[in-house]
Amino acid sequence: MLAHRDPLLLNSIDSYPEDLMCAGSVNFGRQVGLCTLEVGVGHETLRLTIEIFPAKIDYATDYQNLLSDVAGTSRALALEYLRATYQTGEARDVRDATSLDWLTLLRNEISLLDRSIRYVNEHPHRALSREIDYVRADRIKRADATIRDAIVRGRGRGPWTKLPGAGRIRSILPASRSRETLDTAEHRWLRLQLALIHDRLSDIHATVSAELERTRRGGGAAPARLVAEEEEVAGFSRSISELLALPLFDNITEPPPSGFASLTLLSGIGYGEAHRVIMVLRLGLSIRGESFDLSVMDVHGLYETWCYLEVLRIVLAKMGGSADLSTLLRVEENGIRVRLAQGRRTTVTCKSPTVTLDVSYNDHYRGLTGLQKPDIALKFRNDGWPDLLVLLDAKYRLDASDGYRHQFGCPGPPIDAINALHRYRDAIVVVRGESKTRPVVKGAALFPLSSAASSEFPNSKLREALESLGIGALPFLPGNVQHVEDWLDGLLSLAPEDLAVPGPPFAGLAERRSRGLE
């Protein structure tokens, strides 16, 4: 048997139980990092951990810098919940911990929480509870303070009787008895925390289930990974429900004292481990560390997000401004998904004395030929001029074949990635006044190529196309941002009448103008 948490990873694996063999291919796609597989034979299980490296960028430098830059802006943006690979990180005290942080930490710690609570259930610390019980006077062998007080005050039940040396007393007197109880402040605290965990799991499970239901209502098959996420969260919820149903918590209904803590809770066997897990769940995740396994974005999604953040940093620097991007960008949290808010809601506006520039991520434009969705849109706004758009598409694809090099002079994005920008320029139409206009003037496909591998780019046709056609491509990685910086610097220095020229004029339109027909 070959097993893995991500159901998509083993889609192509066939099992042959009679031969004790599994065979097939494993495709990690665009996932990078560590992967642990479980190989089971009979009662024996082997855990095999392998590491997957990216093919297009350097793992130790470019990939780690991509991850650090995105996480440095917003930790949760770099995280996913269920992927075939994982990185290692640690828990830290943060102000903006998300449900994704919380659930990832719980997944790492739920086995320890389960073992700890079950150990406490089997070996609980009990407290003595003093209760008042009524006892026949002739059965009392030793008078405690409660009995003496009852005799003096004449309290009790039943008929009066005489006691030598004490006078008249009731025949049934109140006596204090000590009994062992599990209703302690420690157990109240543990039950309250488990109930809070269960409530939060229920909320997350409801969100994932709703997402799954929407997918099924759409008529298509439910994604295997989404189904696995729903089943895993439901399993966590069942596990916590089973803990709450243990005899340890049977007669506990009251909350613990406010701010309660004790040496037993902090350091008792079982208690201390459960307390540590519950406190860890109040933290957030950092991608630096070795304590917890966490899934991160597929490398193409990570690259696209980094491109937007880095373009935004460059624009802010070029226009003489600076800002904490984490306060400018709106991040949407939906259950276990954290993304940059889509469309206009993620637009950041930058201003200089001469131009106002809107930098948008994943904006969309509806047209007669369909929806157009460039990754990054730069909208130049000048007084007295229509809005002019420069589009950037981040493509984590690289063609370094001999044929491509021969045609363009250096490695670059696939040709269809560049052709998409030509389509944007032609298909995106906006209404201005009573007429329709095409606002897109220039565009570039951003692709992952290191500084050392970009030595031929300045003389390539990709660069030449940017200058002559207004459409081309630019290499862009954490260690290779200069080409994009120079190009954006040139665009920002253009007067609107120069920026408005998209490239060589259409022959027929130029002839029409030369004949004075416009």
Side-chain angles (χ1 to χ4, degrees):
M1 178 201 66
L2 186 63
H4 190 273
R5 179 175 168 238
D6 185 353
L8 299 183
L9 185 64
L10 305 180
N11 273 347
S12 301
I13 299 295
D14 296 317
S15 297
Y16 303 92
E18 295 180 357
D19 299 322
L20 299 178
M21 183 178 71
C22 294
S25 61
V26 176
N27 184 0
F28 288 93
R30 293 170 176 172
Q31 299 182 66
V32 174
L34 299 168
C35 175
T36 299
L37 299 168
E38 291 189 356
V39 182
V41 179
H43 297 292
E44 299 292 328
T45 300
L46 170 68
R47 290 172 60 88
L48 177 66
T49 299
I50 58 179
E51 191 163 14
I52 296 88
F53 296 83
K56 299 179 179 68
I57 60 177
D58 185 86
Y59 184 54
T61 56
D62 292 326
Y63 176 76
Q64 294 299 330
N65 288 334
L66 285 175
L67 194 57
S68 295
D69 286 353
V70 172
T73 300
S74 175
R75 297 167 306 94
L77 275 181
L79 300 177
E80 294 284 355
Y81 180 62
L82 196 161
R83 286 295 184 269
T85 60
Y86 62 90
Q87 303 285 323
T88 57
E90 66 180 15
R92 290 184 178 176
D93 188 10
V94 297
R95 293 178 298 174
D96 57 344
T98 65
S99 293
L100 177 55
D101 290 90
W102 184 85
L103 190 60
T104 302
L105 289 168
L106 178 65
R107 180 182 175 271
N108 277 269
E109 297 287 304
I110 194 167
S111 294
L112 177 57
L113 179 63
D114 185 88
R115 292 196 305 271
S116 302
I117 297 296
R118 291 185 184 277
Y119 182 90
V120 171
N121 182 66
E122 296 295 328
H123 308 86
H125 285 256
R126 292 178 169 87
L128 290 177
S129 173
R130 293 190 175 275
E131 299 177 353
I132 301 299
D133 194 9
Y134 285 85
V135 183
R136 284 172 46 185
D138 59 338
R139 292 186 176 181
I140 297 175
K141 297 181 179 179
R142 183 178 179 181
D144 60 16
T146 303
I147 293 175
R148 290 194 297 269
D149 183 70
I151 292 173
V152 170
R153 297 178 181 272
R155 294 175 179 172
R157 297 175 181 173
W160 293 89
T161 185
K162 287 187 177 182
L163 180 67
R168 296 174 70 244
I169 65 170
R170 292 283 189 179
S171 58
I172 299 175
L173 297 174
S176 176
R177 288 188 176 183
S178 295
R179 294 180 179 176
E180 286 190 340
T181 179
L182 292 176
D183 189 4
T184 67
E186 289 82 4
H187 299 158
R188 290 182 178 187
W189 188 88
L190 289 174
R191 188 187 184 283
L192 174 62
Q193 299 306 318
L194 290 175
L196 293 173
I197 291 172
H198 185 268
D199 290 346
R200 189 163 186 181
L201 278 172
S202 297
D203 291 341
I204 294 174
H205 182 251
T207 303
V208 178
S209 296
E211 184 179 355
L212 186 59
E213 182 61 27
R214 285 194 300 271
T215 304
R216 286 170 172 161
R217 283 201 305 266
R225 185 175 284 156
L226 182 57
V227 172
E229 289 173 345
E230 189 274 335
E231 290 176 350
E232 188 165 274
V233 176
F236 294 159
S237 185
R238 286 193 299 271
S239 296
I240 300 300
S241 294
E242 290 173 2
L243 295 180
L244 285 168
L246 291 173
L248 176 70
F249 303 118
D250 276 351
N251 298 313
I252 296 178
T253 58
E254 297 295 322
S258 178
F260 170 76
S262 71
L263 287 177
T264 298
L265 182 62
L266 297 176
S267 58
I269 299 176
Y271 294 88
E273 289 80 5
H275 180 269
R276 186 194 67 79
V277 170
I278 291 166
M279 299 309 292
V280 163
L281 295 180
R282 301 180 180 183
L283 305 176
L285 279 169
S286 166
I287 61 170
R288 298 296 185 190
E290 302 292 334
S291 302
F292 300 97
D293 297 342
L294 50 93
S295 295
V296 298
M297 296 175 71
D298 293 353
V299 67
H300 72 288
L302 188 69
Y303 180 68
E304 290 177 6
T305 303
W306 175 83
C307 284
Y308 173 62
L309 299 177
E310 189 62 25
V311 166
L312 193 49
R313 289 189 186 98
I314 292 172
V315 169
L316 285 168
K318 296 292 182 185
M319 298 186 72
S322 61
D324 179 1
L325 297 187
S326 63
T327 64
L328 293 177
L329 303 176
R330 288 183 128 192
V331 176
E332 294 178 333
E333 180 185 356
N334 179 20
I336 57 175
R337 318 253 180 253
V338 180
R339 293 287 183 270
L340 285 173
Q342 299 293 302
R344 301 297 302 170
R345 289 170 293 175
T346 54
T347 297
V348 176
T349 300
C350 312
K351 294 184 178 182
S352 75
T354 58
V355 65
T356 298
L357 183 59
D358 296 334
V359 186
S360 300
Y361 175 75
N362 233 1
D363 210 345
H364 60 273
Y365 304 87
R366 299 188 181 278
L368 295 175
T369 57
L371 189 66
Q372 308 299 324
K373 295 179 64 177
D375 292 333
I376 304 168
L378 308 180
K379 180 186 289 186
F380 289 76
R381 293 190 281 142
N382 291 275
D383 291 339
W385 277 83
D387 296 341
L388 301 176
L389 289 179
V390 175
L391 303 181
L392 300 169
D393 252 5
K395 298 300 179 186
Y396 186 75
R397 293 186 289 168
L398 186 67
D399 192 337
S401 64
D402 291 340
Y404 191 96
R405 287 174 177 270
H406 179 74
Q407 181 178 358
F408 293 101
C410 74
I415 296 175
D416 64 343
I418 301 175
N419 288 341
L421 291 158
H422 286 286
R423 184 188 75 237
Y424 293 151
R425 187 160 66 177
D426 197 47
I428 294 177
V429 175
V430 298
V431 177
R432 186 169 184 257
E434 297 181 355
S435 61
K436 295 180 178 180
T437 61
R438 291 189 174 102
V440 181
V441 290
K442 300 181 186 298
L446 306 178
F447 62 96
L449 194 65
S450 67
S451 181
S454 301
S455 58
E456 299 172 326
F457 175 77
N459 299 318
S460 70
K461 290 183 179 179
L462 298 176
R463 176 68 192 187
E464 181 183 349
L466 273 178
E467 300 297 331
S468 61
L469 302 179
I471 300 291
L474 290 163
F476 201 35
L477 275 178
N480 190 24
V481 300
Q482 194 60 49
H483 297 290
V484 172
E485 284 192 3
D486 292 344
W487 186 63
L488 291 176
D489 200 31
L491 294 180
L492 290 169
S493 67
L494 292 176
E497 57 268 25
D498 296 321
L499 180 63
V501 178
F506 290 100
L509 185 58
E511 181 65 22
R512 175 185 172 91
R513 288 172 178 168
S514 69
R515 296 187 181 191
L517 298 177
E518 288 194 2

